[in-house]
């Protein structure tokens, strides 16, 4: 069994980003990222701090718009529209989840496609499904880069994705399909999850339920990507896969933490640089 080390690869990607940004800065161009966070969900604030820190490390200028949980939808839209027009901002990221009185789809569609570094705008979602160059959502893109680093070609593999959200499972499905894999996608209403997961050469899980995937649900020698992040009461972070029992059966597996998480942030940096280059 080999560990797919997202932390190590993310460091390589960050170093490359640093070099790319140095060249841009020498030409007087600084990539800029605006982050919008609404409310006081502690996990969201932690993720935003990690993203800000990564930007600082590589030389991306980042600004944070913190808004109270009871802010009106119109005020959020107004702020995004201001950033859409700001020439110093190349990328706009809306930290999810948003408070329940806010229409998340409407907010994500307000970010113009050219600054949509998270790849959530319908225009970019459509382009991804057509295999056109676009902003690809950072988490599934990070998974693809991790597979590539370890020379795992999804072509022809039986893959199973557990979790079908707009930001994780569905773009993951498009990326795998674009890479010529056979894709099976499961969700909360899937009748017998095990029947699907057990067939997979490559099993990708992004649900948010500790120990959802146990040893008996995994094929011998499978490649396992655990996207889930669950914080236990003790403060420990774990994924959706019962790591200790599943790992010995796999050929490759991502740890949590240190697998997909750091890759997500690395892909955000790359997407921001891409937005800057597109502007130029
Ligand atoms: P979500 O709640 O939007 O979607 C969850 C998906 O899982 C849904 O499609 C749902 O139908 C499915 N699901 C729920 N229970 C299930 C079950 N018992 N069996 C099969 N499917 C089930 O969540 P999300 O935003 O897609 O995030 C999923 C997980 O990935 C969370 O743990 C989140 O923290 C994590 N995540 C990690 C990263 C990262 O960088 N590593 C990034 C984004 C999300």
């Amino acid at each position: 069994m080999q560990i797919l080390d997202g932390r190590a690869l993310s460091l390589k990607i960050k170093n490359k980003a640093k070099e790319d940004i140095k060249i841009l800065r020498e030409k007087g161009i600084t990539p800029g990222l605006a982050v919008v966070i609404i409310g006081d969900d502690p996990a969201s604030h932690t993720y935003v701090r990690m993203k800000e820190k990564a930007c600082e490390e590589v030389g991306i200028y980042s600004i944070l718009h913190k808004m109270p949980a009871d802010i009106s939808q119109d005020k959020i839209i107004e702020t995004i529209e201001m950033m859409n027009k700001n020439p110093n901002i190349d990328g706009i990221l809306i930290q999810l989840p948003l408070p329940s009185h806010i229409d998340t789809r409407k907010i994500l569609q307000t970010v113009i496609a050219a600054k949509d570094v998270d790849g959530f705008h319908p225009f970019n979602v459509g382009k991804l499904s057509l295999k056109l160059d676009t902003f690809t959502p950072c988490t599934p893109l990070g998974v693809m880069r991790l597979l590539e680093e370890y020379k795992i070609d999804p072509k022809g593999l039986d893959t199973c994705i557990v979790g079908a959200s707009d930001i994780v499972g569905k773009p993951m499905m498009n990326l795998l399909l674009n890479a010529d894999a056979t894709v099976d996608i499961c969700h909360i209403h899937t009748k017998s999850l095990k029947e699907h997961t057990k067939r997979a050469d490559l099993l990708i899980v992004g649900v948010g339920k500790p120990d959802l995937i146990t040893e008996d649900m995994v094929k011998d020698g499978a490649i396992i990507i655990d996207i889930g992040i669950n914080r236990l009461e003790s403060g420990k972070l774990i994924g959706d896969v019962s790591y200790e029992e599943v790992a010995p059966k796999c050929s490759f597996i991502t740890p949590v933490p240190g697998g997909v998480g750091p890759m997500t942030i690395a892909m955000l940096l790359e997407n921001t640089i891409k937005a800057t280059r597109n502007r130029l």
Side-chain angles (χ1 to χ4, degrees):
M1 181 275 294
Q2 194 179 348
I3 285 179
L4 297 169
D5 189 344
R7 188 165 288 139
L9 177 56
S10 76
L11 286 177
K12 274 211 253 178
I13 293 169
K14 273 191 198 165
N15 285 335
K16 168 81 171 62
K18 220 186 266 182
E19 282 170 28
D20 290 348
I21 291 167
K22 190 165 167 265
I23 295 167
L24 285 168
R25 282 187 159 218
E26 280 163 6
K27 294 180 188 155
I29 301 145
T30 304
L33 176 71
V35 179
V36 178
I37 181 159
I38 301 160
D40 36 37
D41 173 51
S44 294
H45 278 267
T46 306
Y47 295 139
V48 163
R49 271 197 300 276
M50 286 160 76
K51 289 168 188 174
E52 278 189 298
K53 184 168 164 273
C55 284
E56 202 180 307
E57 280 167 12
V58 301
I60 291 176
Y61 151 77
S62 74
I63 52 166
L64 181 62
H65 289 274
K66 277 191 201 168
M67 297 179 172
D70 60 355
I71 191 143
S72 73
Q73 182 158 304
D74 287 348
K75 185 72 199 154
I76 305 170
I77 291 176
E78 199 182 295
T79 308
I80 297 172
E81 282 172 347
M82 222 169 57
M83 293 185 292
N84 281 341
K85 291 190 201 116
N86 183 340
N88 297 319
I89 300 296
D90 296 301
I92 302 171
L93 180 150
I94 314 293
Q95 184 64 40
L96 300 177
L98 299 181
S100 54
H101 69 285
I102 305 291
D103 178 348
T104 300
R105 286 221 164 124
K106 169 98 182 121
I107 294 299
L108 295 179
Q109 287 177 33
T110 306
V111 175
I112 52 167
K115 297 192 179 189
D116 172 37
V117 286
D118 254 338
F120 296 159
H121 191 284
F123 181 71
N124 289 327
V125 174
K127 284 178 90 178
L128 175 63
S129 80
L130 295 173
K131 207 179 174 179
L132 297 172
D133 182 45
T134 185
F135 291 112
T136 302
C138 301
T139 300
L141 181 61
V143 170
M144 295 305 281
R145 288 290 293 277
L146 202 47
L147 294 174
E148 194 185 312
E149 176 74 6
Y150 286 84
K151 307 207 171 3
I152 299 167
D153 183 357
K155 188 174 185 170
L157 292 186
D158 286 332
T159 66
C160 176
I161 303 167
V162 187
S165 69
D166 291 344
I167 65 170
V168 176
K170 286 186 199 163
M172 193 74 250
M173 172 192 75
N174 274 322
L175 284 167
L176 288 174
L177 214 45
N178 289 344
D180 299 322
T182 300
V183 188
D184 187 4
I185 180 158
C186 304
H187 44 77
I188 184 95
H189 302 294
T190 298
K191 273 192 277 178
S192 172
L193 188 59
K194 183 176 165 178
E195 270 178 37
H196 297 265
T197 58
K198 188 91 186 154
R199 279 202 302 262
D201 304 313
L202 169 60
L203 174 60
I204 301 184
V205 191
V207 169
K209 285 205 164 53
D211 297 321
L212 179 69
I213 304 297
T214 45
E215 179 269 335
D216 57 314
M217 299 169 80
V218 174
K219 179 177 174 177
D220 274 326
I223 302 154
I224 311 282
I225 307 284
D226 192 353
I227 297 176
I229 302 178
N230 306 288
R231 191 176 286 280
L232 302 180
E233 271 181 23
S234 63
K236 188 179 177 207
L237 283 185
I238 61 164
D240 293 344
V241 176
S242 294
Y243 187 88
E244 298 301 329
E245 56 177 84
V246 170
K249 269 190 104 169
C250 309
S251 52
F252 293 93
I253 189 165
T254 54
V256 179
V260 178
M263 289 304 296
T264 298
I265 295 183
M267 293 302 100
L268 173 67
L269 303 176
E270 280 201 351
N271 277 354
T272 305
I273 297 170
K274 180 181 175 130
T276 309
R277 291 200 172 119
N278 288 351
R279 162 167 65 91
L280 299 174

